[in-house]
Amino acid sequence: MSGQSLTDRIAAAQHSMTGSAISKAVCKATTHEVSGPKKKHLDYLIHCTNELNVSIPHLADTLLERTTSNSWIVVFKALITTHHLMMYGSERLMQYLASRNTLFNLNNFLDKAALQGYNMSTFIRRYSRYLNEKAMSYRLAAVDFTKMKRGAEGVMRTMNTEKLIKTLPIIQNQLDALLDFQPNSNELTNGVINTAFMLLFKDSIRLFAAYNEGVINMLGESEAQENALRICLT
C-alpha cells in the first residue's frame, strides 16, 4: 500500500473542519503509508511541544488514541512519533507521559489482516514495552538518560555512590527493554520498522554511554574508599 488511504484523507479533513491542527498533524504523521512519519509533520509536533499555549495532554492523548487502531502501520507510526517527540520535543511531554499510570497497553496487539501484520505486530509489542520503560525510567530518576550531560563533569560521573546504586539498575532495565526489540537484518523490510530501529539505535548508544560512565564512577569511588582505608590503617 502506498500513499495515504481514503481513511487517512477523511480523518485529516475532519480535523481540518474542527480546527484541530495538532490532531491533523498526528493523523498525517500516522497514515497507512508504509514509510516513516514525514519530517514536516514531526517538526511541527516538536514545535507544538515547545509552545506554552499547546495542551500537552491533548497532544499525548491524540497519539495514544492512534495506537488503538487495528492497523500495524498506524500503531507503529504512532509509537515512532511518540518516541521522536520524547527525544527531540520539550521535556514537558516526557514529564506528562511519565506521570500517567499507564502509557501503551499493546501486549496483545495483533494485526491479522494486513501484509506483514503478524511479523510487525511482534515488534510493536516490543517497541511499546521499551517506550513504557523509557517513561518509567524518567518517573523513577527524574531524568532522561539519553539526554543527560556526559563526560568527566557529566551527571553519571559526578553522582554519589548511594544514588548510583539506585540509578544503574534503572538504566539496565531500560537497556534490557531496548535490546529485546532484536530484529534480524532480514526483518528490516520496510520504512516503518527501519525508522523505529534508527531511533532505538540512537537511544542505545546514549544509554550504554550513561551506564558505562556510572560504572566508571562506581569503580573510582570504590578505589578512592580503598585508598582512604589504607591511609587510615597505616
Side-chain angles (χ1 to χ4, degrees):
M1 185 185 296
S2 61
Q4 294 183 32
S5 69
L6 179 59
T7 303
D8 295 328
R9 295 178 187 277
I10 292 172
Q14 288 174 336
H15 293 310
S16 295
M17 292 173 64
T18 59
S20 178
I22 288 177
S23 297
K24 182 179 179 181
V26 168
C27 180
K28 285 182 171 290
T30 58
T31 63
H32 290 77
E33 188 176 0
V34 187
S35 62
K38 287 186 170 62
K39 184 178 182 298
K40 62 181 179 180
H41 303 313
L42 294 175
D43 287 347
Y44 174 75
L45 292 171
I46 289 171
H47 169 75
C48 287
T49 68
N50 289 293
E51 291 294 309
L52 295 179
N53 63 337
V54 167
S55 169
I56 293 297
H58 171 63
L59 170 55
D61 290 346
T62 304
L63 284 166
L64 291 170
E65 184 181 352
R66 294 296 278 174
T67 66
T68 64
S69 170
N70 293 323
S71 166
W72 73 264
I73 305 169
V74 172
V75 174
F76 217 151
K77 290 171 78 169
L79 295 176
I80 289 168
T81 302
T82 304
H83 191 181
H84 192 90
L85 296 182
M86 284 176 157
M87 293 174 71
Y88 303 112
S90 165
E91 192 171 5
R92 291 193 304 145
L93 177 69
M94 180 64 96
Q95 289 170 343
Y96 176 75
L97 294 175
S99 72
R100 292 177 61 99
N101 291 327
T102 58
L103 192 53
F104 299 111
N105 185 19
L106 295 169
N107 290 336
N108 298 315
F109 179 82
L110 181 60
D111 183 346
K112 300 178 181 179
L115 185 66
Q116 301 188 74
Y118 275 94
N119 289 341
M120 292 300 110
S121 293
T122 299
F123 292 110
I124 284 172
R125 294 192 294 271
R126 294 173 182 174
Y127 195 19
S128 67
R129 283 197 293 273
Y130 170 69
L131 295 181
N132 285 340
E133 194 63 45
K134 185 178 175 75
M136 178 59 72
S137 293
Y138 188 93
R139 181 191 293 190
L140 295 173
V143 66
D144 184 343
F145 297 116
T146 66
K147 292 182 177 180
M148 60 170 45
K149 181 181 177 182
R150 298 198 297 270
E153 301 300 320
V155 176
M156 298 303 294
R157 293 289 290 273
T158 56
M159 190 176 289
N160 63 51
T161 303
E162 182 181 355
K163 196 169 182 181
L164 275 172
I165 291 171
K166 295 178 181 178
T167 303
L168 286 174
I170 298 173
I171 301 176
Q172 182 67 61
N173 288 339
Q174 189 175 337
L175 266 171
D176 288 345
L178 186 153
L179 295 175
D180 189 48
F181 191 71
Q182 248 179 355
N184 298 317
S185 58
N186 60 358
E187 292 173 314
L188 299 174
T189 55
N190 60 72
V192 181
I193 191 172
N194 289 348
T195 302
F197 179 78
M198 287 308 301
L199 293 178
L200 289 166
F201 178 70
K202 290 176 182 178
D203 268 11
S204 70
I205 292 173
R206 294 163 184 166
L207 286 172
F208 273 119
Y211 191 83
N212 287 339
E213 290 192 352
V215 171
I216 291 169
N217 184 5
M218 181 76 77
L219 294 173
E221 288 282 345
S222 298
E223 185 177 347
Q225 289 171 4
E226 287 177 8
N227 290 336
L229 181 59
R230 284 196 201 98
I231 293 171
C232 290
L233 295 174
T234 57

